[in-house]
mmCIF file of all heavy atoms in Angstrom:
data_model
loop_
_atom_site.group_PDB
_atom_site.id
_atom_site.type_symbol
_atom_site.label_atom_id
_atom_site.label_comp_id
_atom_site.label_asym_id
_atom_site.label_seq_id
_atom_site.Cartn_x
_atom_site.Cartn_y
_atom_site.Cartn_z
ATOM 1 N N PHE A 23 102.057 126.308 61.843
ATOM 2 C CA PHE A 23 102.080 125.952 63.270
ATOM 3 C C PHE A 23 100.977 126.691 64.029
ATOM 4 O O PHE A 23 100.269 126.099 64.846
ATOM 5 C CB PHE A 23 103.463 126.270 63.848
ATOM 6 C CG PHE A 23 103.616 125.941 65.296
ATOM 7 C CD1 PHE A 23 103.651 124.628 65.725
ATOM 8 C CD2 PHE A 23 103.745 126.954 66.234
ATOM 9 C CE1 PHE A 23 103.797 124.316 67.077
ATOM 10 C CE2 PHE A 23 103.894 126.660 67.580
ATOM 11 C CZ PHE A 23 103.915 125.344 67.998
ATOM 12 N N LEU A 24 100.793 127.982 63.726
ATOM 13 C CA LEU A 24 99.740 128.760 64.383
ATOM 14 C C LEU A 24 98.352 128.228 64.030
ATOM 15 O O LEU A 24 97.463 128.187 64.877
ATOM 16 C CB LEU A 24 99.850 130.237 64.004
ATOM 17 C CG LEU A 24 101.082 130.979 64.513
ATOM 18 C CD1 LEU A 24 101.098 132.409 63.988
ATOM 19 C CD2 LEU A 24 101.167 130.960 66.027
ATOM 20 N N VAL A 25 98.178 127.816 62.792
ATOM 21 C CA VAL A 25 96.902 127.221 62.382
ATOM 22 C C VAL A 25 96.668 125.912 63.137
ATOM 23 O O VAL A 25 95.565 125.653 63.629
ATOM 24 C CB VAL A 25 96.848 127.021 60.851
ATOM 25 C CG1 VAL A 25 95.700 126.119 60.443
ATOM 26 C CG2 VAL A 25 96.740 128.368 60.148
ATOM 27 N N ASP A 26 97.706 125.082 63.257
ATOM 28 C CA ASP A 26 97.584 123.830 64.019
ATOM 29 C C ASP A 26 97.185 124.095 65.465
ATOM 30 O O ASP A 26 96.328 123.404 66.020
ATOM 31 C CB ASP A 26 98.895 123.031 63.983
ATOM 32 C CG ASP A 26 99.151 122.370 62.639
ATOM 33 O OD1 ASP A 26 98.212 122.296 61.815
ATOM 34 O OD2 ASP A 26 100.295 121.934 62.413
ATOM 35 N N ILE A 27 97.821 125.099 66.081
ATOM 36 C CA ILE A 27 97.463 125.461 67.462
ATOM 37 C C ILE A 27 96.005 125.891 67.511
ATOM 38 O O ILE A 27 95.237 125.425 68.351
ATOM 39 C CB ILE A 27 98.379 126.580 68.001
ATOM 40 C CG1 ILE A 27 99.784 126.046 68.257
ATOM 41 C CG2 ILE A 27 97.810 127.183 69.276
ATOM 42 C CD1 ILE A 27 100.796 127.113 68.630
ATOM 43 N N SER A 28 95.605 126.776 66.609
ATOM 44 C CA SER A 28 94.221 127.275 66.566
ATOM 45 C C SER A 28 93.226 126.134 66.455
ATOM 46 O O SER A 28 92.218 126.093 67.164
ATOM 47 C CB SER A 28 94.020 128.213 65.378
ATOM 48 O OG SER A 28 94.878 129.301 65.437
ATOM 49 N N ASN A 29 93.514 125.199 65.552
ATOM 50 C CA ASN A 29 92.599 124.086 65.315
ATOM 51 C C ASN A 29 92.537 123.108 66.477
ATOM 52 O O ASN A 29 91.559 122.372 66.608
ATOM 53 C CB ASN A 29 93.002 123.351 64.034
ATOM 54 C CG ASN A 29 92.673 124.147 62.797
ATOM 55 O OD1 ASN A 29 91.818 125.038 62.814
ATOM 56 N ND2 ASN A 29 93.361 123.857 61.713
ATOM 57 N N SER A 30 93.541 123.088 67.336
ATOM 58 C CA SER A 30 93.559 122.134 68.450
ATOM 59 C C SER A 30 92.862 122.672 69.700
ATOM 60 O O SER A 30 92.612 121.930 70.631
ATOM 61 C CB SER A 30 94.998 121.735 68.789
ATOM 62 O OG SER A 30 95.695 122.845 69.315
ATOM 63 N N ILE A 31 92.519 123.945 69.720
ATOM 64 C CA ILE A 31 91.868 124.553 70.892
ATOM 65 C C ILE A 31 90.363 124.361 70.776
ATOM 66 O O ILE A 31 89.738 124.787 69.815
ATOM 67 C CB ILE A 31 92.223 126.051 70.991
ATOM 68 C CG1 ILE A 31 93.736 126.215 71.154
ATOM 69 C CG2 ILE A 31 91.484 126.692 72.152
ATOM 70 C CD1 ILE A 31 94.225 127.634 70.967
ATOM 71 N N LYS A 32 89.797 123.719 71.763
ATOM 72 C CA LYS A 32 88.370 123.402 71.700
ATOM 73 C C LYS A 32 87.527 124.166 72.717
ATOM 74 O O LYS A 32 86.376 124.457 72.474
ATOM 75 C CB LYS A 32 88.145 121.897 71.937
ATOM 76 C CG LYS A 32 88.927 121.009 70.989
ATOM 77 C CD LYS A 32 88.459 121.126 69.572
ATOM 78 C CE LYS A 32 89.199 120.162 68.689
ATOM 79 N NZ LYS A 32 89.671 120.707 67.456
ATOM 80 N N ASP A 33 88.084 124.484 73.893
ATOM 81 C CA ASP A 33 87.276 125.013 74.994
ATOM 82 C C ASP A 33 87.402 126.512 75.205
ATOM 83 O O ASP A 33 86.954 127.025 76.216
ATOM 84 C CB ASP A 33 87.653 124.291 76.296
ATOM 85 C CG ASP A 33 87.391 122.799 76.215
ATOM 86 O OD1 ASP A 33 86.464 122.401 75.490
ATOM 87 O OD2 ASP A 33 88.113 122.034 76.871
ATOM 88 N N ASN A 34 88.025 127.217 74.276
ATOM 89 C CA ASN A 34 88.203 128.661 74.411
ATOM 90 C C ASN A 34 87.797 129.353 73.119
ATOM 91 O O ASN A 34 87.850 128.769 72.048
ATOM 92 C CB ASN A 34 89.675 128.995 74.702
ATOM 93 C CG ASN A 34 90.104 128.553 76.075
ATOM 94 O OD1 ASN A 34 89.594 129.015 77.079
ATOM 95 N ND2 ASN A 34 91.049 127.635 76.121
ATOM 96 N N LYS A 35 87.415 130.635 73.253
ATOM 97 C CA LYS A 35 87.118 131.443 72.070
ATOM 98 C C LYS A 35 88.438 131.916 71.484
ATOM 99 O O LYS A 35 89.227 132.573 72.153
ATOM 100 C CB LYS A 35 86.260 132.642 72.458
ATOM 101 C CG LYS A 35 84.827 132.274 72.774
ATOM 102 C CD LYS A 35 84.017 133.485 73.191
ATOM 103 C CE LYS A 35 83.941 134.478 72.057
ATOM 104 N NZ LYS A 35 83.145 135.670 72.382
ATOM 105 N N VAL A 36 88.671 131.564 70.210
ATOM 106 C CA VAL A 36 89.940 131.858 69.551
ATOM 107 C C VAL A 36 89.708 132.794 68.370
ATOM 108 O O VAL A 36 88.785 132.594 67.579
ATOM 109 C CB VAL A 36 90.612 130.558 69.039
ATOM 110 C CG1 VAL A 36 91.919 130.872 68.331
ATOM 111 C CG2 VAL A 36 90.834 129.587 70.173
ATOM 112 N N CYS A 37 90.586 133.800 68.256
ATOM 113 C CA CYS A 37 90.580 134.675 67.089
ATOM 114 C C CYS A 37 91.952 134.615 66.440
ATOM 115 O O CYS A 37 92.978 134.824 67.100
ATOM 116 C CB CYS A 37 90.263 136.107 67.480
ATOM 117 S SG CYS A 37 90.195 137.223 66.048
#
Side-chain angles (χ1 to χ4, degrees):
F23 180 70
L24 293 177
V25 166
D26 286 346
I27 289 173
S28 301
N29 287 338
S30 67
I31 299 168
K32 305 293 184 226
D33 299 330
N34 291 297
K35 287 178 63 179
V36 179
C37 182

